[in-house]
Structures are given as structure tokens and as C-alpha cells.
Amino acid sequence: MWYLIEGYDGSDVLPQRLAARPAHLARLHALRDEGRLMLAGPCPAIDAEDPGPAGFSGSLIVAEFESLDAARAWADADPYVAAGVYTRVDVRPFKRVLP
């Protein structure tokens, strides 16, 4: 089943986000290579493709997991969690309708 994982950035965490980004992306690439990643990306903190020093307000991932517990475990092990980037992570089932 598909699951939506939404991480919410804390304040002034752009340096931690940038430092943890390679490890975060490596996990996403692994999901992609397994055919389990629908989409992933950050949410700019301002209305701009490149928010610069304003950073990001969080991230969104939609990926396939065996269960809600497996999706939560994967999200809990994210490098952004370990680095203190995310202050909260929500994981919930997602039903793909379009496209």
C-alpha cells in the first residue's frame, strides 16, 4: 500500500538539513530503485523554487510499504529525524487516484 510521509522542519534547521541531505537522498534513491517511490520533495518556506536562506518548512514523500508500521519505522529512521531537522513526522495511508 502507498503511504504519505510528511515531515515538518523546525526553526533555523537549514544547516542540519543540508548536512543530512546526502543520507536522506540515498534512502529515497533506494526506494526509487526498488520501484516503491511515487514522489518526494521539500516544501519551500517561501513562495519560490529556490528559497535560499529561508529554507524549507518540511518534506513530502509518497512511497509503498508493507504496512503502516513499516512506513512509520522507515520514517523514524530518516536522517532528518536523527539530525533534528524534523520536529514532527506524520505517516498515513494514501490512496492513489490520479494519474
Side-chain angles (χ1 to χ4, degrees):
M1 182 164 179
W2 294 103
Y3 294 90
L4 185 146
I5 300 169
E6 191 168 9
Y8 297 85
D9 284 22
S11 298
D12 301 317
V13 295
L14 186 57
Q16 295 96 307
R17 177 182 265 274
L18 294 175
R21 188 169 190 263
H24 172 78
L25 289 178
R27 297 177 81 234
L28 292 172
H29 289 160
L31 285 178
R32 179 202 60 201
D33 294 348
E34 295 168 8
R36 297 172 44 208
L37 182 66
M38 183 185 300
L39 66 91
C43 301
I46 60 172
D47 190 12
E49 186 78 21
D50 179 358
F56 300 89
S57 62
S59 302
L60 177 75
I61 299 164
V62 179
E64 190 175 32
F65 293 93
E66 300 164 3
S67 66
L68 181 57
D69 286 341
R72 285 184 176 142
W74 187 91
D76 288 345
D78 193 285
Y80 284 171
V81 172
V85 174
Y86 293 154
T87 58
R88 184 175 109 224
V89 177
D90 291 340
V91 180
R92 54 192 183 272
F94 180 82
K95 181 179 177 184
R96 182 178 185 166
V97 174
L98 293 171

